[in-house]
Amino acid sequence: MNKLFVLMGKSATGKDTIYKRLLEDERISLRTIVPYTTRPIRHEEKEGVEYHFVSREKFEEMKADKLVIESRDYQTVYGVWSYFTAYDGQFSEESVEENYLMINTLKGYEQIRDYFGEDYVVPLYIYVEDGIRLTRALKRERRQKEPKYAEMCRRYLADEGDFSSKKLEKAGINKFYDNENIDRCVEQIVRCIQSN
């Protein structure tokens, strides 16, 4: 493995869209690392693209088999949802020339960095002003077959603590990619990937 780029940010900052744009960009070559979750799939999501959607039982089985690199549990209004990264064959130990891209949280990034080492893991923190972010989250939730507004609000508030400036500083993240303009944001990230 050469570098693992970890895309992260508060909810509704455009991580999924940026992720797709980076994978389509012909100037860079990235392999994907698809994380896992026990939460229900959203209307616009596809299995194996944003996440592998698994049952709680499957998650516990993978933990018992020592395949889980990092995990996070969230108490939602619908029960506990787990998110995790697994050592499941997605990481190639044979090629040191390949770069990888994944989406994760700050806590997940820290666990992955500790697992692989900070020389191999590069944080890409996406920032969007809170008012814009809340508007985007509401628009996305309205498109769902069964909107979960209470969960949207819980995520929004939880992000304030999870991505506090103190936690970002402690994790060594001092470069932010502002996604008010997605073209400019993607261009800055591409330059970062090319320079690593």
Side-chain angles (χ1 to χ4, degrees), residues 33-36 52 62 67-69 84-91:
I33 300 297
V34 181
Y36 290 74
H52 291 295
M62 291 174 79
L67 296 174
V68 175
I69 293 171
F84 62 101
T85 305
Y87 202 80
D88 60 354
Q90 295 183 79
F91 297 97

Short mmCIF file of all heavy atoms in Angstrom, two decimals, residues 33-36 52 62 67-69 84-91:
data_model
loop_
_atom_site.label_atom_id
_atom_site.label_comp_id
_atom_site.label_asym_id
_atom_site.label_seq_id
_atom_site.Cartn_x
_atom_site.Cartn_y
_atom_site.Cartn_z
N ILE A 33 -11.78 1.70 -0.91
CA ILE A 33 -11.96 0.89 0.29
C ILE A 33 -13.40 1.18 0.72
O ILE A 33 -13.72 2.30 1.10
CB ILE A 33 -10.99 1.27 1.42
CG1 ILE A 33 -9.54 1.07 0.96
CG2 ILE A 33 -11.29 0.48 2.68
CD1 ILE A 33 -9.17 -0.36 0.63
N VAL A 34 -14.24 0.20 0.62
CA VAL A 34 -15.64 0.38 0.96
C VAL A 34 -15.84 -0.04 2.42
O VAL A 34 -15.60 -1.20 2.77
CB VAL A 34 -16.57 -0.44 0.03
CG1 VAL A 34 -18.02 -0.23 0.40
CG2 VAL A 34 -16.31 -0.06 -1.42
N PRO A 35 -16.27 0.89 3.27
CA PRO A 35 -16.52 0.54 4.67
C PRO A 35 -17.84 -0.22 4.83
O PRO A 35 -18.59 -0.39 3.86
CB PRO A 35 -16.58 1.90 5.37
CG PRO A 35 -16.97 2.86 4.31
CD PRO A 35 -16.48 2.30 3.00
N TYR A 36 -18.10 -0.64 6.03
CA TYR A 36 -19.30 -1.40 6.36
C TYR A 36 -20.19 -0.60 7.31
O TYR A 36 -19.70 0.24 8.06
CB TYR A 36 -18.92 -2.70 7.06
CG TYR A 36 -18.25 -3.72 6.19
CD1 TYR A 36 -16.93 -3.55 5.79
CD2 TYR A 36 -18.92 -4.87 5.79
CE1 TYR A 36 -16.29 -4.50 5.00
CE2 TYR A 36 -18.29 -5.83 5.00
CZ TYR A 36 -16.98 -5.64 4.61
OH TYR A 36 -16.35 -6.58 3.83
N HIS A 52 -20.80 -1.44 2.53
CA HIS A 52 -21.34 -2.79 2.55
C HIS A 52 -22.34 -2.77 3.70
O HIS A 52 -21.97 -2.44 4.84
CB HIS A 52 -20.25 -3.83 2.83
CG HIS A 52 -19.27 -3.98 1.71
ND1 HIS A 52 -19.61 -4.46 0.46
CD2 HIS A 52 -17.94 -3.70 1.66
CE1 HIS A 52 -18.54 -4.48 -0.31
NE2 HIS A 52 -17.52 -4.02 0.38
N MET A 62 -17.57 -10.82 12.26
CA MET A 62 -16.33 -10.28 11.71
C MET A 62 -15.40 -9.81 12.84
O MET A 62 -14.18 -9.98 12.75
CB MET A 62 -16.62 -9.16 10.71
CG MET A 62 -17.28 -9.66 9.44
SD MET A 62 -17.78 -8.33 8.32
CE MET A 62 -16.19 -7.97 7.56
N LEU A 67 -11.34 -9.38 11.99
CA LEU A 67 -11.27 -8.74 10.68
C LEU A 67 -11.57 -7.24 10.74
O LEU A 67 -11.41 -6.54 9.74
CB LEU A 67 -12.26 -9.41 9.71
CG LEU A 67 -11.99 -10.87 9.38
CD1 LEU A 67 -13.11 -11.44 8.53
CD2 LEU A 67 -10.65 -11.01 8.67
N VAL A 68 -11.99 -6.74 11.89
CA VAL A 68 -12.38 -5.33 12.01
C VAL A 68 -11.17 -4.49 12.40
O VAL A 68 -10.55 -4.71 13.44
CB VAL A 68 -13.53 -5.17 13.03
CG1 VAL A 68 -13.86 -3.70 13.24
CG2 VAL A 68 -14.76 -5.94 12.56
N ILE A 69 -10.81 -3.54 11.52
CA ILE A 69 -9.67 -2.64 11.75
C ILE A 69 -10.07 -1.52 12.69
O ILE A 69 -9.33 -1.13 13.58
CB ILE A 69 -9.17 -2.05 10.41
CG1 ILE A 69 -8.57 -3.16 9.54
CG2 ILE A 69 -8.17 -0.92 10.64
CD1 ILE A 69 -8.24 -2.71 8.13
N PHE A 84 -17.83 0.44 10.28
CA PHE A 84 -16.51 -0.15 10.50
C PHE A 84 -15.77 -0.39 9.20
O PHE A 84 -16.35 -0.39 8.11
CB PHE A 84 -16.62 -1.43 11.32
CG PHE A 84 -17.41 -2.55 10.70
CD1 PHE A 84 -16.76 -3.61 10.08
CD2 PHE A 84 -18.80 -2.58 10.77
CE1 PHE A 84 -17.48 -4.67 9.54
CE2 PHE A 84 -19.53 -3.62 10.22
CZ PHE A 84 -18.87 -4.68 9.60
N THR A 85 -14.46 -0.58 9.34
CA THR A 85 -13.58 -0.93 8.23
C THR A 85 -13.04 -2.32 8.53
O THR A 85 -12.64 -2.60 9.66
CB THR A 85 -12.41 0.06 8.11
OG1 THR A 85 -12.94 1.39 8.00
CG2 THR A 85 -11.55 -0.24 6.89
N ALA A 86 -13.04 -3.15 7.52
CA ALA A 86 -12.60 -4.54 7.72
C ALA A 86 -11.39 -4.87 6.85
O ALA A 86 -11.23 -4.35 5.75
CB ALA A 86 -13.74 -5.50 7.40
N TYR A 87 -10.57 -5.75 7.38
CA TYR A 87 -9.45 -6.30 6.62
C TYR A 87 -10.02 -7.51 5.86
O TYR A 87 -9.97 -8.64 6.33
CB TYR A 87 -8.31 -6.70 7.55
CG TYR A 87 -6.99 -6.76 6.84
CD1 TYR A 87 -6.28 -5.61 6.58
CD2 TYR A 87 -6.48 -7.97 6.40
CE1 TYR A 87 -5.07 -5.64 5.91
CE2 TYR A 87 -5.27 -8.02 5.72
CZ TYR A 87 -4.57 -6.85 5.48
OH TYR A 87 -3.38 -6.90 4.80
N ASP A 88 -10.59 -7.22 4.69
CA ASP A 88 -11.39 -8.20 3.97
C ASP A 88 -10.90 -8.46 2.54
O ASP A 88 -11.65 -8.93 1.70
CB ASP A 88 -12.84 -7.72 3.92
CG ASP A 88 -12.98 -6.39 3.22
OD1 ASP A 88 -11.94 -5.78 2.86
OD2 ASP A 88 -14.12 -5.93 3.02
N GLY A 89 -9.65 -8.12 2.26
CA GLY A 89 -9.11 -8.32 0.92
C GLY A 89 -9.09 -7.07 0.07
O GLY A 89 -8.57 -7.09 -1.05
N GLN A 90 -9.65 -5.96 0.56
CA GLN A 90 -9.64 -4.73 -0.21
C GLN A 90 -8.27 -4.07 -0.24
O GLN A 90 -7.93 -3.36 -1.18
CB GLN A 90 -10.66 -3.72 0.34
CG GLN A 90 -12.10 -4.18 0.21
CD GLN A 90 -13.06 -3.12 0.70
OE1 GLN A 90 -13.34 -2.16 -0.01
NE2 GLN A 90 -13.55 -3.29 1.92
N PHE A 91 -7.47 -4.28 0.82
CA PHE A 91 -6.12 -3.71 0.89
C PHE A 91 -5.15 -4.69 0.25
O PHE A 91 -5.10 -5.85 0.63
CB PHE A 91 -5.70 -3.48 2.35
CG PHE A 91 -6.56 -2.49 3.08
CD1 PHE A 91 -7.60 -2.91 3.89
CD2 PHE A 91 -6.33 -1.13 2.96
CE1 PHE A 91 -8.39 -2.01 4.57
CE2 PHE A 91 -7.10 -0.22 3.64
CZ PHE A 91 -8.14 -0.65 4.44
#
